[in-house]
Amino acid sequence: MSFDDTGHRVPVTVQNSLWTWSRDVPRARRRLISSAVSSAVKDSAAAPIAAGQARGQGGVTDADTSLPVPPASGGQRSSTPTAPRVRGDALRMLACVRVATARQMARVITAEDADGRSYVRRAMRKLAEQGLVETNGKQGKELIWNLTRAGLRAVADGNELPARPRAGTGAKAVRAGFGPHALAVTETILTFGGRQHLTDWQVEVNHAIKETGLTFNTDAVLASPGKTFEVRLFEIDNGTMSRAKLAREVWDYERYAGHRVWEGARGAIGGTFPFWSRYRYTRSEQFPPLHVVLAGKEEHLLKRRLEALAEAVDGITVSVFATTLPALQRREKWVRLGTDNPGRRRERYPEPVGR
């Protein structure tokens, strides 16, 4: 799929696979999460952390944004998960994506070709009795589940996931009516990476520059170390904001990438450096690519929205790729909306005054 409004846009393919956790993965070393959930995790396998490797070049060219295709499973079917394993996997998944329905959790936790919602629902009822999960709303007939504060502490005590001291439960967002957007974020995560990369994601990641007052939250960030960048940034639009506001959010990433800071001792010759490379993504040679996923409307409306976004961000100097959620689920091509160009970006933003 491509949308060529100007005649010079070149779509870039990003390969996506709906990956599921494999039951033949060797079991990782166990740690008890807490006395309240030790039975939930004692038989569960820790999620493997294996970020996709990206190939690319430095300078003004873009890195290849494709993720590797996982090896074939050899036709083996996953065994039926035990109740403690389902509960442990559910806790880990909610700690990563914040909110999910039983259907979404079943895609990750149970066999790829089986509807395991009954397993998940029983597990969630048990975890709710223990005070570790709760539901605060519905998407259609499906309950939306999230961890409680006790559930967050339980997962943190297990030391299986990176420490996220400011992580929220998502309960307030669901109660306020933002559940559909949160579920669209979860759907994007599951479609793009599946279980193999599940623990490499973080949601609602703040980017801010105090000196300029610029601040925004990235819906999802995938740790994906490569030769030129260490993460991928994801913005998910569920069709609730205006086209102009969506475009401004994308331009915020260029403003963030364009900010430079002065470094040098007083009285000595110093220089300026990109803020992001000094204080945020220190192992990246280029600003991380932004992936925009459009959801929440009929597909023909999403296509029009994508065309409008392409026109609104024409000439942006960071790597931007966009698609619709239905197209992502069909593993179709992404549309390139912008290319990383630090030289042009430096011309657009003023240099800080040296000491």
Side-chain angles (χ1 to χ4, degrees):
M1 181 189 68
S2 64
F3 300 90
D4 194 337
D5 294 332
T6 63
H8 66 276
R9 301 190 186 283
V10 180
V12 170
T13 302
V14 176
Q15 298 173 357
N16 303 285
S17 299
L18 182 59
W19 299 340
T20 57
W21 286 342
S22 173
R23 291 301 165 201
D24 12 344
V25 173
R27 296 191 177 195
R29 181 165 60 92
R30 305 285 191 264
R31 291 188 181 93
L32 294 180
I33 287 182
S34 69
S35 58
V37 292
S38 59
S39 62
V41 298
K42 65 181 180 181
D43 293 331
S44 61
I49 300 178
Q53 298 297 312
R55 304 182 303 278
Q57 303 173 353
V60 298
T61 58
D62 286 301
D64 180 6
T65 60
S66 61
L67 286 174
V69 177
S73 61
Q76 296 180 354
R77 291 184 58 180
S78 301
S79 59
T80 302
T82 63
R85 178 180 294 174
V86 173
R87 293 197 294 271
D89 286 347
L91 287 173
R92 270 187 291 270
M93 177 174 174
L94 288 176
C96 294
V97 303
R98 190 171 292 183
V99 303
T101 64
R103 183 186 296 274
Q104 289 175 323
M105 286 186 278
R107 284 168 50 189
V108 172
I109 295 171
T110 61
E112 181 178 0
D113 56 352
D115 184 353
R117 280 178 291 172
S118 59
Y119 292 101
V120 173
R121 286 168 179 158
R122 285 196 294 269
M124 302 314 290
R125 286 195 294 268
K126 184 65 175 179
L127 292 172
E129 292 173 3
Q130 296 173 338
L132 302 175
V133 301
E134 63 183 0
T135 180
N136 290 279
K138 288 185 176 182
Q139 175 80 327
K141 296 182 179 181
E142 291 275 344
L143 293 173
I144 302 174
W145 292 94
N146 61 268
L147 295 182
T148 62
R149 286 292 175 185
L152 281 174
R153 290 193 298 270
V155 176
D157 289 345
N159 291 325
E160 290 188 355
L161 297 175
R164 297 169 186 173
R166 297 184 180 180
T169 65
K172 291 182 180 179
V174 175
R175 288 196 293 267
F178 301 122
H181 176 266
L183 291 179
V185 174
T186 300
E187 191 66 25
T188 298
I189 290 173
L190 298 183
T191 304
F192 193 87
R195 176 169 183 165
Q196 181 169 344
H197 293 271
L198 193 62
T199 56
D200 294 331
W201 290 88
Q202 291 191 45
V203 296
E204 290 298 314
V205 178
N206 182 254
H207 290 81
I209 300 176
K210 184 178 180 181
E211 291 80 1
T212 65
L214 177 64
T215 180
F216 56 90
N217 287 336
T218 301
D219 289 323
V221 175
L222 171 63
S224 178
K227 292 183 178 180
T228 57
F229 54 83
E230 60 197 88
V231 301
R232 302 168 190 267
L233 310 174
F234 286 76
E235 278 292 333
I236 292 82
D237 167 52
N238 204 43
T240 56
M241 68 178 73
S242 68
R243 295 179 178 181
K245 186 176 187 302
L246 175 60
R248 285 196 301 271
E249 289 197 352
V250 175
W251 279 107
D252 279 345
Y253 286 88
E254 188 196 75
R255 286 188 279 271
Y256 186 89
H259 183 67
R260 299 178 70 85
V261 293
W262 177 273
E263 288 190 3
R266 186 176 297 278
I269 297 176
T272 62
F273 303 90
F275 173 88
W276 63 268
S277 67
R278 272 296 190 265
Y279 300 108
R280 193 57 183 264
Y281 302 114
T282 58
R283 297 188 299 275
S284 298
E285 295 180 8
Q286 75 172 48
F287 187 74
L290 172 64
H291 300 72
V292 181
V293 179
L294 306 180
K297 292 182 177 292
E298 296 180 5
E299 190 163 10
H300 71 282
L301 298 177
L302 294 179
K303 290 180 179 179
R304 293 178 187 173
R305 197 169 177 84
L306 181 51
E307 292 171 350
L309 179 63
E311 182 177 354
V313 302
D314 185 36
I316 197 167
T317 59
V318 293
S319 296
V320 182
F321 303 93
T323 190
T324 67
L325 184 55
L328 180 64
Q329 292 167 333
R330 295 192 297 265
R331 304 183 181 93
E332 294 181 1
K333 294 179 179 180
W334 292 71
V335 179
R336 180 192 292 275
L337 304 186
T339 300
D340 186 76
N341 192 325
R344 287 181 56 200
R345 199 161 58 229
R346 190 167 181 174
E347 294 173 358
R348 290 183 178 180
Y349 298 92
E351 292 283 330
V353 179
R355 296 187 181 91

